[in-house]
Amino acid sequence: MELVRQEVFERGFKQGFEQGFKQGFEQGFEQAMKQVITGLIEKGAEDEWIADVAKLPVTKIREIRIELK
């Protein structure tokens, strides 16, 4: 019985760790992309060009631009 509990704990811990790592990585990547886009906006790049390069909708770039104001 103890062995079963240990296996369940280890599986749960592994799944929790993997899920947390994935979420952290995604949030970090999203923040890094936003910083790059912010820098391009501040340098005067056009929204359409940024959207094309970043493979994002122009509306997302405009949302970031509005947040900067």
Side-chain angles (χ1 to χ4, degrees):
M1 187 67 168
E2 185 62 33
L3 184 59
V4 172
R5 284 187 192 150
Q6 182 66 25
E7 287 180 23
V8 169
F9 172 78
E10 288 175 3
R11 257 188 277 149
F13 180 80
K14 182 180 177 192
Q15 288 174 345
F17 177 80
E18 289 172 353
Q19 189 175 33
F21 182 81
K22 181 181 176 190
Q23 288 175 345
F25 181 80
E26 289 172 352
Q27 289 172 353
F29 181 77
E30 187 175 315
Q31 186 62 35
M33 283 293 294
K34 191 172 182 179
Q35 288 175 345
V36 169
I37 291 167
T38 298
L40 291 169
I41 290 171
E42 290 173 348
K43 294 292 182 186
E46 295 181 10
D47 292 352
E48 291 78 13
W49 181 83
I50 297 170
D52 186 47
V53 171
K55 306 292 186 227
L56 292 170
V58 175
T59 54
K60 183 65 178 170
I61 306 304
R62 290 187 179 140
E63 287 174 13
I64 295 171
R65 183 180 291 280
I66 290 169
E67 288 176 14
L68 292 173
K69 293 180 180 183

